[in-house]
Amino acid sequence: MSEPVRRKRVGLVQCLDYRMSLELLQHLNIDLVVLDEPGTCMEDSNGPLAHFRVSFYPIDLNPDGGFVQRLYIAARDLRLDGLTTRFDAILRKVAEVAELLGLPALLPSALTIATDKYLTRISAPESDLMQDKIIRVKNKQELEGRLKDPVERLQVFYPVVVKPTNGWGSYGVAKAVNETELLEAVEWAAGSIIGFVNSEVMIEPYCEGPEIDLNLALWDGEVTFSEVCDNAPTAGDLDVVTGSGKKDFQEGLFMYPSKLPESEQTMLCEYIRQCILRMGFRSGVFHCEARVRDSSMHYVQDSQGSIIDLDPNPATVGRQASIFLLEINARAPGYVGLYASGRTYGVDLWALHILHCIGDEARFRALSRPFTSGAQHDSAVLLIMPKNWGILRSDDPRPRLQREHPELAAAVPLCLNYFTVGQEVTPPDDTENCFTSVLLVESKTGRADLMKLVEKARVEWTPVIE
């Protein structure tokens, strides 16, 4: 930068032990002020994470009617230059407090739309053509009544996807192909989802086509960085019932960079940029999900039946591809996905998120520049899901792999293990933590080699639970 960068103070509401993100703030000349529940990982002034923050302030994070006032009182005298969070459940309320403090903030009215899947759906450009196919209900009982209404009986065009309007990720999301499955899925989705009790439920058409994640950085409506990654087919796509008892959409594998043609990636970027602007956002970091209807690519299983990847789709030759928006999250992606894109392109989206929250346009733009040669390698985020509830009996395989298979160990530069030997593993349908491990896998020799490495890593990290 042409001028010295003044030291800033950022308040982070709810802070996890994400080492690289915490270290990054120090390199950005930013002091971290943590506001979190008493007893959480950053509170202890003598703890292993204490050097990452300058101060800690305990606060009740229950997103109830008093949350905004509690946070405002806690933060008003802290001389902050920015206030932010990683968590969807409190994004809008934290933005409201930032506005009250006169700090840069995402527009709360836009966040109201982005954090509600129903409002997101009806804000999309094509929603007018789908009005009779987008349904919102409070619970199973309301749906049953509407399905049996003698005057205005509700029509459902199967297959459909059922999801909690205020859910997080793919928790509580399921596919239904008949009325029995629909009622079961609505009852499941209307339960307690990541802190939201009795969330309303949306029913929408199931869209065939490859699913992607799109990360976008915007400043004043201009895209400063974008990347597309491929989501492998889920149980819902394959019509397979999982441990949740549903045809759910819990992701298990993301591949970087996307194999979709450049034309479809460009269309995705522009379409979703327009959706973001329609919501009322102008700047920030956005982690988005969508499907490409009538894509020129589809997923095909290899001859051994173990690897599924994108290949040209002869059935869609001559058709015009289009975009089906799933969700827009006004935040950076999850930790391992964050560093998958960072290592692939040289752009740290968490850095951009923080720089946006302090209004630092110059560094936001400077650090949005990817490697001039593009993606450095092929990589994947692999999520390991337990198949049953019980006690974990298998240890982290990394130390053994470093001795016996160093090439595989080297291909997994980042791994988060959520349980240790002897701990009770939560069941597959638990909404708080359903993974045993999340891995970043990399290949320097291409996508085909990456997929082989992913399958080897999947075998090694499959937990033994008794």
Side-chain angles (χ1 to χ4, degrees):
M1 307 304 294
S2 59
E3 299 293 332
V5 177
R6 184 174 68 84
R7 197 157 188 83
K8 298 292 183 73
R9 288 166 59 88
V10 165
L12 181 59
V13 184
Q14 197 168 2
C15 182
L16 298 180
D17 181 3
Y18 289 163
R19 303 294 176 100
M20 288 187 286
S21 294
L22 297 173
E23 290 171 355
L24 174 72
L25 298 183
Q26 298 179 338
H27 292 291
L28 290 175
N29 206 29
I30 291 174
D31 288 330
L32 176 63
V33 176
V34 175
L35 300 105
D36 207 340
E37 296 275 3
T40 48
C41 64
M42 299 293 284
E43 182 176 29
D44 186 358
S45 297
N46 298 311
L49 303 180
H51 63 289
F52 288 124
R53 50 81 168 171
V54 294
S55 53
F56 177 94
Y57 297 91
I59 185 172
D60 177 4
L61 294 182
N62 179 20
D64 56 17
F67 176 80
V68 169
Q69 183 67 10
R70 290 196 302 274
L71 181 57
Y72 173 75
I73 291 172
R76 64 185 174 185
D77 297 323
L78 300 183
R79 297 177 289 108
L80 299 176
D81 298 289
L83 182 69
T84 190
T85 183
R86 285 180 179 268
F87 295 93
D88 297 336
I90 54 176
L91 269 175
R92 179 177 58 82
K93 293 178 182 292
V94 171
E96 289 177 12
V97 176
E99 276 198 338
L100 290 172
L101 295 171
L103 302 175
L106 292 168
L107 197 64
S109 59
L111 286 168
T112 297
I113 300 172
T115 54
D116 185 305
K117 296 182 191 298
Y118 177 77
L119 296 179
T120 296
R121 166 61 57 227
I122 64 173
S123 74
E126 75 281 3
S127 61
D128 291 345
L129 303 175
M130 300 171 56
Q131 280 188 345
D132 61 333
K133 298 180 180 179
I134 304 170
I135 303 162
R136 179 169 59 176
V137 296
K138 291 182 179 179
N139 48 42
K140 177 184 175 182
Q141 292 71 31
E142 179 187 338
L143 177 60
E144 286 178 316
R146 292 177 65 180
L147 289 170
K148 297 175 182 177
D149 191 309
V151 179
E152 294 186 28
R153 181 173 179 175
L154 181 66
Q155 281 192 307
V156 180
F157 301 91
Y158 297 99
V160 295
V161 175
V162 177
K163 57 182 70 173
T165 59
N166 291 325
W168 179 79
S170 296
Y171 295 115
V173 183
K175 185 180 184 180
V177 299
N178 55 49
E179 187 171 306
T180 299
E181 289 185 356
L182 175 61
L183 291 169
E184 290 176 354
V186 167
E187 183 175 37
W188 185 46
S192 178
I193 306 294
I194 312 297
F196 293 95
V197 178
N198 297 323
S199 169
E200 291 191 333
V201 178
M202 180 174 75
I203 303 164
E204 66 178 357
Y206 169 72
C207 177
E208 291 187 350
E211 183 172 336
I212 60 89
D213 278 15
L214 171 70
N215 292 316
L216 273 182
L218 291 178
W219 197 279
D220 196 22
E222 176 191 349
V223 176
T224 61
F225 173 76
S226 68
E227 60 139 352
V228 180
C229 80
D230 299 321
N231 294 8
T234 64
D237 297 308
L238 303 173
D239 282 324
V240 173
V241 175
T242 69
S244 69
K246 307 290 183 298
K247 299 169 186 174
D248 65 43
F249 289 88
Q250 182 56 66
E251 296 97 339
L253 181 64
F254 304 86
M255 294 87 80
Y256 306 71
S258 173
K259 280 183 71 175
L260 292 178
E262 196 64 37
S263 59
E264 291 183 14
Q265 295 189 46
T266 300
M267 180 172 58
L268 278 160
C269 181
E270 178 55 24
Y271 179 89
I272 293 180
R273 184 184 79 91
Q274 291 295 337
C275 289
I276 290 170
L277 297 179
R278 283 169 67 102
M279 286 181 171
F281 296 110
R282 295 293 300 170
S283 304
V285 174
F286 302 89
H287 175 61
C288 313
E289 298 180 17
R291 287 182 182 264
V292 184
R293 187 192 292 111
D294 293 323
S295 171
S296 62
M297 305 288 281
H298 68 156
Y299 281 95
V300 177
Q301 199 166 46
D302 70 356
S303 57
Q304 286 77 39
S306 59
I307 295 174
I308 299 177
D309 202 0
L310 286 170
D311 265 349
N313 185 1
T316 57
V317 173
R319 296 185 193 174
Q320 177 62 49
S322 59
I323 310 304
F324 186 82
L325 178 69
L326 295 176
E327 60 183 50
I328 290 174
N329 301 291
R331 54 165 173 78
Y335 185 66
V336 180
L338 182 75
Y339 285 102
S341 60
R343 289 171 62 90
T344 302
Y345 295 101
V347 173
D348 192 313
L349 292 160
W350 176 243
L352 302 187
H353 176 88
I354 290 293
L355 291 171
H356 174 260
C357 91
I358 60 174
D360 192 333
E361 178 182 357
R363 286 199 290 171
F364 185 98
R365 289 183 176 275
L367 293 179
S368 292
R369 296 172 189 163
F371 296 126
T372 54
S373 55
Q376 299 297 288
H377 48 250
D378 287 86
S379 61
V381 173
L382 173 63
L383 294 80
I384 306 296
M385 180 85 71
K387 293 183 178 179
N388 59 284
W389 167 87
I391 304 300
L392 182 65
R393 301 302 184 190
S394 54
D395 209 342
D396 181 357
R398 180 186 289 274
R400 175 178 56 79
L401 291 175
Q402 288 174 333
R403 297 190 306 270
E404 299 175 6
H405 301 286
E407 72 291 345
L408 180 56
V412 183
L414 178 62
C415 174
L416 295 185
N417 295 309
Y418 290 94
F419 301 91
T420 57
V421 173
Q423 279 191 317
E424 180 180 339
V425 176
T426 49
D429 60 344
D430 189 273
T431 58
E432 293 299 328
N433 185 352
C434 62
F435 309 117
T436 52
S437 302
V438 181
L439 292 69
L440 173 59
V441 185
E442 295 179 348
S443 170
K444 300 292 185 183
T445 57
R447 178 84 159 227
D449 180 62
L450 171 70
M451 301 306 287
K452 293 176 183 177
L453 288 169
V454 163
E455 291 312 306
K456 290 179 181 178
R458 191 194 306 276
V459 170
E460 295 292 348
W461 264 269
T462 295
V464 176
I465 301 170
E466 298 174 345

